[in-house]
Amino acid sequence: MIGRLLLNYPDAARRIGMCLALAAFAAGLYGLGIKADWIGKLVPSSLEWLAANPVAARGVSAVLIALIAAANWKALQQLGRKQQIVAVWIELFVLLMLFFYSFDLSFSFIARKIGFLVSQGVVTTLYISAISIAIATVIAFIGAIAKLSKNGVVYGLATFYTSLFRGLPLLMQIYIIYLGLPQVGYVIGAVPAGIMALSLCYGAYMTEIFRAGIESIPRGQTEGATALGLSPNQTMFLVILPQAMRVIVPPTGNQFIAMLKDSSLISVVGVWEIMYLARTQGQTEFRHIEMLITASMIYWLLSIGLEFLQSRIEERFGRSLKR
Protein backbone atom coordinates (compact mmCIF):
# COMPACT_ATOMS: atom_id res chain seq x y z
CA MET A 1 0.00 0.00 0.00
CA ILE A 2 2.78 2.40 0.87
CA GLY A 3 4.58 1.54 -2.36
CA ARG A 4 1.38 2.19 -4.35
CA LEU A 5 0.99 5.55 -2.65
CA LEU A 6 4.56 6.51 -3.52
CA LEU A 7 4.03 5.55 -7.16
CA ASN A 8 0.60 7.12 -7.65
CA TYR A 9 1.01 10.26 -5.54
CA PRO A 10 4.74 11.13 -5.48
CA ASP A 11 4.22 14.80 -4.60
CA ALA A 12 1.88 14.02 -1.72
CA ALA A 13 4.21 11.29 -0.47
CA ARG A 14 7.13 13.71 -0.56
CA ARG A 15 5.21 16.33 1.43
CA ILE A 16 4.13 13.75 4.00
CA GLY A 17 7.73 12.56 4.30
CA MET A 18 8.96 16.11 4.84
CA CYS A 19 6.32 16.69 7.53
CA LEU A 20 7.28 13.49 9.30
CA ALA A 21 10.96 14.39 9.14
CA LEU A 22 10.17 17.86 10.51
CA ALA A 23 8.13 16.37 13.36
CA ALA A 24 10.89 13.87 14.15
CA PHE A 25 13.47 16.67 14.20
CA ALA A 26 11.31 18.76 16.54
CA ALA A 27 10.74 15.74 18.79
CA GLY A 28 14.46 15.08 18.87
CA LEU A 29 15.18 18.67 19.92
CA TYR A 30 12.53 18.43 22.62
CA GLY A 31 13.98 15.15 23.85
CA LEU A 32 17.44 16.70 24.05
CA GLY A 33 16.05 19.33 26.40
CA ILE A 34 16.23 22.35 24.11
CA LYS A 35 15.69 25.56 26.05
CA ALA A 36 13.44 28.50 25.20
CA ASP A 37 15.67 31.28 26.57
CA TRP A 38 16.40 32.52 23.05
CA ILE A 39 12.70 33.25 22.52
CA GLY A 40 12.68 35.49 25.57
CA LYS A 41 15.67 37.42 24.24
CA LEU A 42 14.00 37.94 20.88
CA VAL A 43 10.52 38.63 22.32
CA PRO A 44 10.91 40.09 25.85
CA SER A 45 7.14 40.22 26.33
CA SER A 46 7.03 36.41 26.32
CA LEU A 47 9.35 36.01 29.33
CA GLU A 48 6.53 35.72 31.83
CA TRP A 49 4.69 33.03 29.83
CA LEU A 50 7.91 31.10 29.21
CA ALA A 51 8.72 31.08 32.92
CA ALA A 52 5.18 29.96 33.86
CA ASN A 53 5.03 27.17 31.24
CA PRO A 54 8.49 25.57 30.94
CA VAL A 55 7.29 22.34 29.30
CA ALA A 56 5.18 24.10 26.69
CA ALA A 57 7.98 26.62 26.14
CA ARG A 58 10.38 23.79 25.31
CA GLY A 59 7.86 22.41 22.81
CA VAL A 60 7.39 25.80 21.16
CA SER A 61 11.15 26.28 21.02
CA ALA A 62 11.67 22.87 19.38
CA VAL A 63 8.93 23.49 16.79
CA LEU A 64 10.21 26.99 15.96
CA ILE A 65 13.77 25.76 15.49
CA ALA A 66 12.53 22.94 13.26
CA LEU A 67 10.51 25.40 11.16
CA ILE A 68 13.48 27.77 10.88
CA ALA A 69 15.70 24.87 9.79
CA ALA A 70 13.11 23.79 7.18
CA ALA A 71 12.77 27.34 5.84
CA ASN A 72 16.54 27.66 5.69
CA TRP A 73 16.80 24.34 3.80
CA LYS A 74 14.18 25.52 1.32
CA ALA A 75 16.00 28.81 0.79
CA LEU A 76 19.33 27.05 0.23
CA GLN A 77 17.76 24.89 -2.48
CA GLN A 78 17.17 28.03 -4.54
CA LEU A 79 20.92 28.68 -4.82
CA GLY A 80 23.54 27.17 -7.06
CA ARG A 81 25.89 24.49 -5.75
CA LYS A 82 28.82 26.84 -5.04
CA GLN A 83 26.53 29.38 -3.39
CA GLN A 84 25.04 26.59 -1.26
CA ILE A 85 28.48 25.55 -0.05
CA VAL A 86 29.45 29.12 0.85
CA ALA A 87 26.11 29.77 2.55
CA VAL A 88 26.30 26.57 4.62
CA TRP A 89 29.83 27.41 5.76
CA ILE A 90 28.80 30.94 6.74
CA GLU A 91 25.72 29.78 8.61
CA LEU A 92 27.52 27.04 10.52
CA PHE A 93 30.41 29.36 11.35
CA VAL A 94 28.00 31.96 12.72
CA LEU A 95 26.28 29.30 14.83
CA LEU A 96 29.66 28.15 16.14
CA MET A 97 30.60 31.71 17.07
CA LEU A 98 27.25 32.19 18.81
CA PHE A 99 27.90 28.96 20.73
CA PHE A 100 31.27 30.29 21.88
CA TYR A 101 29.78 33.71 22.65
CA SER A 102 27.34 32.06 25.05
CA PHE A 103 30.34 31.11 27.24
CA ASP A 104 30.71 34.76 28.31
CA LEU A 105 34.31 34.89 27.08
CA SER A 106 36.75 37.68 27.86
CA PHE A 107 37.73 38.84 24.37
CA SER A 108 40.12 41.43 25.79
CA PHE A 109 42.09 38.62 27.46
CA ILE A 110 42.16 36.66 24.19
CA ALA A 111 43.39 39.76 22.34
CA ARG A 112 46.25 40.19 24.83
CA LYS A 113 47.41 36.59 24.62
CA ILE A 114 46.80 35.57 21.01
CA GLY A 115 49.93 37.33 19.70
CA PHE A 116 52.23 35.26 21.92
CA LEU A 117 50.19 32.13 21.24
CA VAL A 118 50.72 32.56 17.49
CA SER A 119 54.33 33.77 17.50
CA GLN A 120 55.56 31.08 19.88
CA GLY A 121 53.05 28.24 19.85
CA VAL A 122 52.09 28.15 16.17
CA VAL A 123 55.69 28.43 15.00
CA THR A 124 56.78 25.59 17.29
CA THR A 125 53.84 23.40 16.28
CA LEU A 126 54.42 24.00 12.57
CA TYR A 127 58.12 23.22 12.50
CA ILE A 128 57.70 20.13 14.69
CA SER A 129 54.85 18.90 12.47
CA ALA A 130 56.70 19.70 9.23
CA ILE A 131 59.84 17.82 10.27
CA SER A 132 57.77 14.90 11.60
CA ILE A 133 55.74 14.72 8.38
CA ALA A 134 58.88 14.64 6.24
CA ILE A 135 60.54 11.92 8.33
CA ALA A 136 57.31 9.88 8.59
CA THR A 137 56.91 9.96 4.80
CA VAL A 138 60.42 8.58 4.29
CA ILE A 139 59.84 5.91 6.95
CA ALA A 140 56.51 4.97 5.38
CA PHE A 141 58.00 4.55 1.92
CA ILE A 142 60.85 2.39 3.23
CA GLY A 143 58.42 0.39 5.37
CA ALA A 144 56.05 -0.16 2.44
CA ILE A 145 58.87 -1.43 0.21
CA ALA A 146 60.01 -3.70 3.06
CA LYS A 147 56.52 -5.15 3.51
CA LEU A 148 56.37 -5.89 -0.20
CA SER A 149 59.76 -7.61 -0.05
CA LYS A 150 60.08 -11.39 -0.41
CA ASN A 151 63.00 -11.38 2.03
CA GLY A 152 61.76 -12.82 5.31
CA VAL A 153 64.14 -10.79 7.51
CA VAL A 154 63.17 -7.47 5.89
CA TYR A 155 59.47 -8.35 6.00
CA GLY A 156 59.74 -9.38 9.64
CA LEU A 157 61.41 -6.10 10.62
CA ALA A 158 58.75 -4.07 8.81
CA THR A 159 55.80 -5.96 10.29
CA PHE A 160 57.23 -5.80 13.83
CA TYR A 161 57.76 -2.04 13.48
CA THR A 162 54.24 -1.35 12.22
CA SER A 163 52.67 -3.65 14.81
CA LEU A 164 54.58 -2.06 17.71
CA PHE A 165 54.10 1.59 16.86
CA ARG A 166 50.48 1.21 15.79
CA GLY A 167 49.76 -0.78 18.94
CA LEU A 168 51.24 1.63 21.51
CA PRO A 169 49.44 4.88 22.36
CA LEU A 170 51.31 7.92 21.06
CA LEU A 171 51.49 9.44 24.54
CA MET A 172 53.18 6.28 25.79
CA GLN A 173 55.68 6.45 22.93
CA ILE A 174 56.58 10.03 23.83
CA TYR A 175 57.20 9.06 27.46
CA ILE A 176 59.23 5.96 26.53
CA ILE A 177 61.47 7.91 24.16
CA TYR A 178 61.89 10.97 26.40
CA LEU A 179 62.31 9.11 29.70
CA GLY A 180 63.53 5.73 28.48
CA LEU A 181 66.45 6.64 26.22
CA PRO A 182 68.35 8.40 29.06
CA GLN A 183 68.22 5.07 30.94
CA VAL A 184 70.45 3.55 28.26
CA GLY A 185 72.82 6.52 28.18
CA TYR A 186 71.29 8.68 25.45
CA VAL A 187 69.85 11.95 26.72
CA ILE A 188 67.38 13.45 24.27
CA GLY A 189 65.69 16.85 24.34
CA ALA A 190 61.95 17.34 24.52
CA VAL A 191 61.57 18.58 20.95
CA PRO A 192 63.66 15.80 19.32
CA ALA A 193 61.79 13.25 21.45
CA GLY A 194 58.45 14.61 20.25
CA ILE A 195 59.57 14.62 16.62
CA MET A 196 60.89 11.06 16.92
CA ALA A 197 57.67 9.81 18.51
CA LEU A 198 55.43 11.50 15.93
CA SER A 199 57.59 10.30 13.03
CA LEU A 200 57.73 6.69 14.19
CA CYS A 201 54.04 6.51 15.11
CA TYR A 202 52.66 8.06 11.94
CA GLY A 203 55.32 6.40 9.80
CA ALA A 204 53.84 3.07 10.92
CA TYR A 205 50.30 4.10 9.95
CA MET A 206 51.42 5.57 6.64
CA THR A 207 53.42 2.43 5.84
CA GLU A 208 50.15 0.57 5.35
CA ILE A 209 48.77 3.42 3.24
CA PHE A 210 51.82 3.40 0.95
CA ARG A 211 51.77 -0.41 0.72
CA ALA A 212 48.07 -0.44 -0.22
CA GLY A 213 48.63 2.32 -2.78
CA ILE A 214 51.51 0.49 -4.45
CA GLU A 215 49.62 -2.80 -4.48
CA SER A 216 46.59 -1.12 -6.08
CA ILE A 217 48.50 -0.68 -9.34
CA PRO A 218 47.90 -3.64 -11.69
CA ARG A 219 50.82 -6.03 -12.10
CA GLY A 220 50.68 -5.43 -15.83
CA GLN A 221 52.19 -1.99 -15.29
CA THR A 222 55.30 -3.51 -13.77
CA GLU A 223 55.51 -6.15 -16.47
CA GLY A 224 55.14 -3.53 -19.19
CA ALA A 225 57.86 -1.36 -17.66
CA THR A 226 60.17 -4.37 -17.45
CA ALA A 227 59.47 -5.19 -21.08
CA LEU A 228 60.51 -1.65 -22.01
CA GLY A 229 63.83 -2.22 -20.27
CA LEU A 230 63.26 -0.14 -17.14
CA SER A 231 65.11 -1.11 -13.99
CA PRO A 232 63.18 -1.93 -10.79
CA ASN A 233 63.99 1.52 -9.38
CA GLN A 234 62.90 3.26 -12.57
CA THR A 235 59.73 1.20 -12.62
CA MET A 236 58.91 2.18 -9.04
CA PHE A 237 59.62 5.92 -9.33
CA LEU A 238 58.50 6.53 -12.92
CA VAL A 239 55.59 4.12 -13.35
CA ILE A 240 54.20 2.78 -10.06
CA LEU A 241 54.45 5.70 -7.61
CA PRO A 242 52.96 8.41 -9.90
CA GLN A 243 49.86 6.23 -10.32
CA ALA A 244 49.76 5.08 -6.70
CA MET A 245 49.78 8.67 -5.44
CA ARG A 246 46.12 9.01 -6.41
CA VAL A 247 45.36 6.34 -3.82
CA ILE A 248 48.01 7.41 -1.30
CA VAL A 249 47.38 11.17 -1.08
CA PRO A 250 43.84 11.31 0.47
CA PRO A 251 44.49 9.02 3.50
CA THR A 252 48.00 10.45 3.89
CA GLY A 253 46.55 13.95 4.04
CA ASN A 254 44.24 12.79 6.83
CA GLN A 255 47.26 11.43 8.69
CA PHE A 256 49.06 14.76 8.34
CA ILE A 257 46.07 16.60 9.81
CA ALA A 258 45.88 14.07 12.66
CA MET A 259 49.62 14.49 13.28
CA LEU A 260 49.21 18.27 13.44
CA LYS A 261 46.63 17.89 16.20
CA ASP A 262 48.45 15.08 17.98
CA SER A 263 51.52 17.31 18.22
CA SER A 264 49.69 18.80 21.21
CA LEU A 265 50.59 15.63 23.15
CA ILE A 266 54.25 16.60 23.27
CA SER A 267 53.27 19.41 25.61
CA VAL A 268 53.49 16.78 28.38
CA VAL A 269 57.29 16.98 28.15
CA GLY A 270 57.32 20.78 28.31
CA VAL A 271 57.44 21.78 24.64
CA TRP A 272 56.01 25.26 24.13
CA GLU A 273 53.55 24.39 21.41
CA ILE A 274 50.00 25.69 21.07
CA MET A 275 48.31 23.52 23.69
CA TYR A 276 51.05 24.01 26.29
CA LEU A 277 50.84 27.79 25.94
CA ALA A 278 47.04 27.71 25.98
CA ARG A 279 47.07 25.92 29.33
CA THR A 280 49.80 28.01 30.93
CA GLN A 281 48.51 31.37 29.67
CA GLY A 282 44.98 30.52 30.74
CA GLN A 283 46.14 29.72 34.28
CA THR A 284 47.42 33.24 34.91
CA GLU A 285 43.91 34.71 35.19
CA PHE A 286 41.86 31.50 35.42
CA ARG A 287 40.70 32.00 31.82
CA HIS A 288 41.16 28.41 30.69
CA ILE A 289 38.17 28.23 28.34
CA GLU A 290 39.26 31.37 26.44
CA MET A 291 42.69 29.95 25.69
CA LEU A 292 41.41 26.46 24.88
CA ILE A 293 38.86 27.83 22.40
CA THR A 294 41.52 30.08 20.84
CA ALA A 295 43.91 27.15 20.51
CA SER A 296 41.13 25.05 18.97
CA MET A 297 40.41 27.70 16.36
CA ILE A 298 44.12 27.96 15.51
CA TYR A 299 44.32 24.18 15.04
CA TRP A 300 41.26 24.37 12.80
CA LEU A 301 42.79 27.10 10.64
CA LEU A 302 46.00 25.10 10.28
CA SER A 303 43.96 22.03 9.34
CA ILE A 304 42.11 24.04 6.69
CA GLY A 305 45.47 24.99 5.22
CA LEU A 306 46.49 21.34 5.05
CA GLU A 307 43.13 20.41 3.52
CA PHE A 308 43.66 23.01 0.80
CA LEU A 309 47.16 21.71 0.11
CA GLN A 310 45.84 18.14 -0.01
CA SER A 311 43.15 19.09 -2.53
CA ARG A 312 45.75 20.73 -4.79
CA ILE A 313 47.98 17.64 -4.65
CA GLU A 314 45.00 15.36 -5.36
CA GLU A 315 44.10 17.54 -8.33
CA ARG A 316 47.68 17.36 -9.59
CA PHE A 317 47.85 13.56 -9.51
CA GLY A 318 44.27 13.12 -10.71
CA ARG A 319 44.63 15.14 -13.91
CA SER A 320 45.10 12.02 -16.02
CA LEU A 321 41.63 10.77 -15.03
CA LYS A 322 40.00 13.98 -16.31
CA ARG A 323 41.45 13.76 -19.79
Side-chain angles (χ1 to χ4, degrees), residues 250-285:
T252 300
N254 291 337
Q255 293 298 315
F256 287 171
I257 293 173
M259 180 190 292
L260 175 70
K261 294 181 293 183
D262 280 349
S263 64
S264 62
L265 293 176
I266 65 176
S267 64
V268 298
V269 292
V271 178
W272 286 28
E273 48 74 61
I274 297 174
M275 189 55 64
Y276 178 86
L277 292 178
R279 290 203 311 267
T280 55
Q281 296 298 307
Q283 289 173 355
T284 58
E285 299 181 26

Side-chain angles (χ1 to χ4, degrees), residues 26-295:
L29 291 174
Y30 183 85
L32 290 174
I34 190 71
K35 294 183 179 181
D37 296 347
W38 63 277
I39 300 177
K41 293 179 180 179
L42 293 177
V43 187
S45 59
S46 65
L47 286 172
E48 184 176 347
W49 182 86
L50 293 174
N53 304 274
V55 176
R58 282 177 52 200
V60 171
S61 176
V63 171
L64 287 178
I65 292 176
L67 291 174
I68 292 171
N72 181 64
W73 176 270
K74 190 68 176 177
L76 289 174
Q77 299 308 305
Q78 309 306 313
L79 303 176
R81 184 175 184 275
K82 290 185 178 180
Q83 289 77 16
Q84 287 176 343
I85 295 172
V86 173
V88 168
W89 269 74
I90 292 174
E91 289 180 358
L92 294 179
F93 182 77
V94 170
L95 289 175
L96 181 64
M97 292 300 101
L98 290 174
F99 175 66
F100 288 154
Y101 183 77
S102 66
F103 294 167
D104 192 24
L105 304 177
S106 173
F107 294 100
S108 59
F109 177 78
I110 294 175
R112 291 200 311 271
K113 299 295 184 179
I114 192 170
F116 182 62
L117 198 64
V118 171
S119 62
Q120 176 65 46
V122 172
V123 171
T124 302
T125 296
L126 283 179
Y127 86 75
I128 288 175
S129 298
I131 296 173
S132 301
I133 286 170
I135 297 174
T137 302
V138 174
I139 292 174
F141 179 71
I142 295 173
I145 297 299
K147 293 201 72 171
L148 294 172
S149 173
K150 295 182 180 179
N151 186 299
V153 175
V154 174
Y155 181 82
L157 290 172
T159 52
F160 181 83
Y161 158 70
T162 55
S163 176
L164 177 64
F165 284 94
R166 287 197 302 170
L168 293 179
L170 177 56
L171 184 61
M172 186 66 68
Q173 295 177 38
I174 294 172
Y175 278 127
I176 290 175
I177 292 173
Y178 183 66
L179 301 176
L181 289 182
Q183 303 300 316
V184 295
Y186 182 76
V187 179
I188 187 171
V191 171
I195 291 174
M196 182 182 296
L198 288 171
S199 302
L200 291 172
C201 179
Y202 279 92
Y205 286 106
M206 290 164 55
T207 291
E208 293 301 320
I209 295 173
F210 275 61
R211 179 195 58 76
I214 293 172
E215 287 189 327
S216 69
I217 306 304
R219 189 175 184 82
Q221 298 288 320
T222 303
E223 295 173 349
T226 303
L228 292 173
L230 298 181
S231 67
N233 287 336
Q234 289 175 322
T235 300
M236 177 59 68
F237 288 100
L238 299 179
V239 179
I240 303 301
L241 276 182
Q243 298 180 74
M245 291 303 290
R246 294 198 302 268
V247 178
I248 291 173
V249 168
T252 300
N254 291 337
Q255 293 298 315
F256 287 171
I257 293 173
M259 180 190 292
L260 175 70
K261 294 181 293 183
D262 280 349
S263 64
S264 62
L265 293 176
I266 65 176
S267 64
V268 298
V269 292
V271 178
W272 286 28
E273 48 74 61
I274 297 174
M275 189 55 64
Y276 178 86
L277 292 178
R279 290 203 311 267
T280 55
Q281 296 298 307
Q283 289 173 355
T284 58
E285 299 181 26
F286 299 99
R287 291 286 182 178
H288 300 282
I289 192 66
E290 280 85 348
M291 286 293 93
L292 291 177
I293 289 177
T294 304

